[in-house]
Amino acid sequence: VKKIAVLTSGGDSQGMNAAVRAVVRSGLYFGLEVFGIQRGYQGLLNDDIFPMDLRSVGDIIQRGGTVLQSARCLEFTTEEGQKKGAQILRDRGIDGVVVIGGDGSYQGANKLTKQGIKTMCLPGTIDNDISFTDYTIGFDTAVSIVVDAINKLRDTMSSHERSSIVEVMGRHCGDIALHAGLASGAETILVPEVEFNLQEVADRMTQNFKHGKRHSIVIVAEGVGKGEDVAKVIQENCPAYEPRVTVLGHIQRGGTPTAFDRNLASRLGDFAVRQLIEGVSDKACGMIDGKLVATDIGKVVSTKKEFNMELYELALRLSQ
Ligand code: F6P
């Protein structure tokens, strides 16, 4: 490859900027021409493509959001749109594309490969719902934000002997709830991957109250339902604590990325470029057991991420 482009797509995540920086700087270091595509696949279809240099990614490693911006693009889900996008890239002589995003962005990238464009994907989403990588870029930062919020909630809930029902993001994946729950010592973690019974949850909370617990933290992954609905059932079945609901929402997607997310993004961005130079393409890059791996995009989009039951059971054991 001689000319590559980079885009960010779908919901943004902290560390996307560090990934863009790595793609641009590694590409330039290895003598490639690097282009940025503004607003994801929509920008591609609008031919919103511009050359990037070393300075265009200066001062962004520490910033949340994405300087390339992001968009959801219906047109690109059609074959006509995919053909048009590939033609625009060919007309510009761009032979490789790095797509940074989540599941939907991977689906788009998979389609682009079918149109003959050499494509590499980087997992940019707070949800940690991409298979063949232990972590996605932004997940660590989102978990830290949730833990920080729960620390604060715990203070006031203890003072008032209340339960805190905290709704967190993650789409269909319970990983944010699980990791934040373990790190914050939450009493209950409700995730879509594990069946639960709210009556049993309420009974356990009542037992905990009898054993001297002055507060109770219940984390509800959005894939399970609304925090408000969970709170209603708990209020009816566990009068010991008065529940208060907090929906953390998009707060989880902003702010400065952790060192972990920046380093993951930097490693994966550089890896994707080096793979393209070596003639490898149509892969999703990830990190498994600390090692960088490239897996067929098609395989990644058709494989559901495995839920870590061991971690879930540990969180339960420690929250008595
Ligand atoms: O995929 C990231 C994510 O933040 C999910 O956790 C959440 O379900 C969704 O995006 C929210 O999407 P939007 O920003 O369009 O409201």
Side-chain angles (χ1 to χ4, degrees):
V1 294
K2 296 255 177 322
K3 288 188 187 183
I4 62 166
V6 54
L7 66 83
T8 52
S9 158
D12 64 354
S13 71
Q14 307 93 331
M16 273 186 166
N17 280 327
V20 171
R21 172 180 176 270
V23 170
V24 172
R25 294 220 170 141
S26 281
L28 294 172
Y29 178 88
F30 290 113
L32 305 179
E33 272 184 74
V34 186
F35 293 81
I37 302 175
Q38 202 74 22
R39 291 189 193 83
Y41 295 114
Q42 189 59 57
L44 170 59
L45 295 182
N46 296 344
D47 198 15
D48 199 351
I49 302 175
F50 59 96
M52 296 189 83
D53 60 19
L54 289 175
R55 296 284 70 79
S56 60
V57 289
D59 202 23
I60 66 167
I61 194 170
Q62 78 286 13
R63 277 161 52 190
T66 160
V67 290
L68 291 179
Q69 297 183 284
S70 192
R72 302 195 195 278
C73 177
L74 266 186
E75 194 185 345
F76 199 75
T77 58
T78 67
E79 202 181 334
E80 216 184 320
Q82 292 146 16
K83 282 205 163 87
K84 182 176 162 192
Q87 194 53 49
I88 289 172
L89 291 167
R90 269 193 289 273
D91 289 347
R92 284 181 166 271
I94 293 170
D95 37 18
V97 177
V98 179
V99 172
I100 307 167
D103 189 50
S105 315
Y106 275 41
Q107 308 271 5
N110 201 26
K111 294 288 169 15
L112 211 48
T113 66
K114 304 268 185 306
Q115 299 298 330
I117 301 294
K118 297 189 175 77
T119 308
M120 296 298 278
C121 290
L122 302 186
T125 166
I126 61 167
D127 298 339
N128 209 35
D129 58 349
I130 305 276
S131 58
F132 296 96
T133 187
D134 290 342
Y135 299 107
T136 56
I137 299 163
F139 172 67
D140 185 63
T141 308
V143 168
S144 298
I145 290 169
V146 175
V147 171
D148 183 54
I150 291 176
N151 290 342
K152 290 170 180 145
L153 288 168
R154 191 189 267 272
D155 291 343
T156 171
M157 295 304 149
S158 298
S159 306
H160 294 272
E161 295 193 341
R162 285 172 171 163
S163 64
S164 185
I165 319 295
V166 189
E167 185 186 312
V168 302
M169 280 187 168
R171 213 177 284 266
H172 307 296
C173 179
D175 273 21
I176 294 180
L178 170 63
H179 287 251
L182 177 62
S184 61
E187 278 71 24
T188 311
I189 303 171
L190 303 181
V191 293
E193 293 88 347
V194 183
E195 269 184 47
F196 58 87
N197 175 322
L198 283 182
Q199 177 67 57
E200 283 169 17
V201 169
D203 291 347
R204 189 162 175 259
M205 286 168 70
T206 306
Q207 282 306 314
N208 284 342
F209 185 80
K210 284 186 186 147
H211 293 140
K213 281 216 176 199
R214 299 278 69 97
H215 63 259
S216 193
I217 310 283
V218 180
I219 305 192
V220 182
E222 68 172 335
V224 153
K226 296 266 167 241
E228 279 293 348
D229 297 335
V230 171
K232 271 186 207 132
V233 181
I234 286 182
Q235 183 152 34
E236 280 161 22
N237 295 287
C238 173
Y241 306 101
E242 209 187 319
R244 287 289 185 273
V245 180
T246 305
V247 180
L248 290 176
H250 288 81
I251 294 277
Q252 294 160 95
R253 272 208 344 228
T256 190
T258 58
F260 180 89
D261 276 331
R262 297 182 202 192
N263 291 347
L264 178 65
S266 300
R267 289 181 69 191
L268 289 175
D270 169 75
F271 181 65
V273 170
R274 285 188 292 110
Q275 292 282 297
L276 279 172
I277 291 169
E278 282 168 24
V280 178
S281 69
D282 309 348
K283 304 280 183 197
C285 303
M287 187 183 72
I288 298 178
D289 294 335
K291 298 225 162 39
L292 301 183
V293 294
T295 312
D296 287 344
I297 301 173
K299 191 168 170 188
V300 172
V301 293
S302 60
T303 309
K304 198 174 178 316
K305 176 137 189 167
E306 221 178 287
F307 185 70
N308 192 336
M309 268 319 277
E310 247 177 66
L311 220 53
Y312 179 81
E313 279 158 13
L314 171 65
L316 267 192
R317 273 203 300 284
L318 301 185
S319 67
Q320 299 172 67

